[in-house]
Amino acid sequence: MYTLRLTPDADGLSRASALLSAGLTVAIPTETVYGLAADARNGEAVARIYQAKGRPSFNPLIVHLPDTGAADVIASMHPQAQALADAFWPGALTMVLPLRPDAGIASLVTAGLATIGLRVPAHPAARALLRDFGGPLAAPSANASGRISPTSADHVLSPDGGLDGRIAAVLDAGPCDVGVESTIIGWPDGIPTLLRPGGIPAEAIEAVLGAALARHDGDPVAPSAPGQLTSHYAPNAALRLNADPRPGETHLSFGTPGPFSLSDDGDLAQAAARLFDLLRRADALGRPISVAPIPRHGLGAAINDRLQRAAAPRA
Ligand code: TXA
Ligand code: MG
């Protein structure tokens, strides 16, 4: 298959829509990372996502929607979900909600679960495409399973773990602003729970809820968050965390300048936006990689989570 590179103008958007309507997969920009999209109502189209990524089929996918009204048709929005939607949608928040049985979503999307992960992305090209396409788009990150998430169209098409030749097209809107995936919140047993730290800090969500979130720090493959594989986002090189630089390593610095600086002045948002691109560029040098300590508050929680998965022993 030849993978088209489309631009996010009227012509590119209508071509992307047509490919999606034909049941094919298209990589799309979002403000967090690029997603590999398919029509969430078409089981064969969704199967092509799993095929292209080589993804274990027990991992449910996030469904992307144009607005909160579209979410209400697919899942029941209880009052806390509604409050979080009002505060953070469109944006980098995914909520796992009870799926309406008549929602028309292919069961492969939810891997047969009675819940569904929903997100209204903020990226203008994603929103324009969702309006043009007129339906829900299932989209995990647009990388081969277990590899680093893509934050540019070049990453999506990269010869190392990319999807060139495996998908119909990529809609190229340049680099992603946020750079780490969305924060995932669910309500297992009715309790608001942080299932994955991400682009919206947990503290901001707790401020809206007026309560602390339960955490899923323990078992990485807890049943309520399937697919939280311990080794994930993996570069080829060995990775040392919370580390000072050693000779022979490529060092990702934080708070000090350097050729692989996550942020010269210790800005966590800048570090998140640069994280996956720097990991890829460091990995391409073929030397072991070390990473400076990153604070754990705010966006630092998501950055540390991704780094720990990248450094975990490979399956
Ligand atoms: O920023 C993002 O969230 C990106 C962009 C493309 O939107 N998407 C993304 O999707 O990171 P993905 O498929 O790589 O991660 C989806 C995560 C998985 O870990 C999965 O376990 C969880 O969401 N998830 C999805 N539906 C779920 C459900 N019904 N119950 C529990 N976890 C769910
Ligand atoms: Mg992913």
Side-chain angles (χ1 to χ4, degrees):
M1 183 187 313
Y2 179 78
T3 301
L4 291 168
R5 195 190 279 255
L6 302 172
T7 44
D9 51 20
D11 179 58
L13 290 168
S14 81
R15 288 215 231 174
S17 265
L19 292 167
L20 291 164
S21 295
L24 300 176
T25 58
V26 176
I28 63 166
T30 83
E31 71 277 25
T32 57
V33 301
Y34 275 70
L36 181 58
D39 184 346
R41 301 161 299 191
N42 176 342
E44 282 178 36
V46 175
R48 293 195 178 99
I49 293 177
Y50 290 97
Q51 257 172 358
K53 284 179 63 84
R55 179 174 208 170
S57 61
F58 51 77
N59 211 349
L61 307 176
I62 294 172
V63 170
H64 298 69
L65 301 166
D67 50 49
T68 307
D72 221 7
V73 175
I74 292 177
S76 31
M77 299 279 289
H78 44 71
Q80 285 193 332
Q82 191 61 55
L84 293 182
D86 291 344
F88 300 112
W89 280 355
L93 174 71
T94 295
M95 291 193 276
V96 175
L97 297 166
L99 174 66
R100 293 193 194 278
D102 56 354
I105 299 293
S107 60
L108 200 51
V109 169
T110 56
L113 297 173
T115 53
I116 186 164
L118 297 180
R119 175 158 111 79
V120 176
H123 194 292
R127 304 199 77 194
L129 179 67
L130 282 161
R131 280 194 302 269
D132 195 305
F133 177 65
L137 290 174
S141 52
N143 51 280
S145 187
R147 307 307 294 270
I148 298 169
S149 293
T151 55
S152 72
D154 287 343
H155 293 166
V156 173
L157 300 177
S158 155
D160 182 31
L163 302 178
D164 195 13
R166 302 174 68 90
I167 62 177
V170 56
L171 191 58
D172 183 353
C176 303
D177 287 342
V178 176
V180 292
E181 296 88 339
S182 59
T183 303
I184 305 182
I185 302 294
W187 283 262
D189 309 316
I191 298 162
T193 302
L194 179 67
L195 299 176
R196 178 178 75 180
I200 306 263
E203 294 90 328
I205 293 166
E206 291 173 328
V208 171
L209 292 177
L213 290 166
R215 314 271 159 159
H216 256 264
D217 290 339
D219 180 7
V221 281
S224 56
Q228 298 286 314
L229 303 173
T230 307
S231 170
H232 202 100
Y233 310 102
N236 296 310
L239 195 59
R240 287 196 313 123
L241 305 183
N242 302 307
D244 290 327
R246 284 182 192 159
E249 284 179 342
T250 304
H251 184 71
L252 273 56
S253 62
F254 181 81
T256 49
F260 289 84
S261 167
L262 285 159
S263 171
D264 289 2
D265 52 4
D267 176 345
L268 287 168
Q270 185 174 54
R274 289 183 178 175
L275 176 67
F276 290 129
D277 185 60
L278 280 179
L279 276 175
R280 282 169 186 274
R281 284 169 37 206
D283 202 23
L285 298 179
R287 293 197 294 266
I289 301 168
S290 62
V291 187
I294 313 288
R296 294 185 173 271
H297 61 83
L299 283 178
I303 295 171
N304 278 290
D305 174 78
R306 304 305 184 274
L307 285 170
Q308 269 149 23
R309 290 174 201 281
R314 310 296 145 76

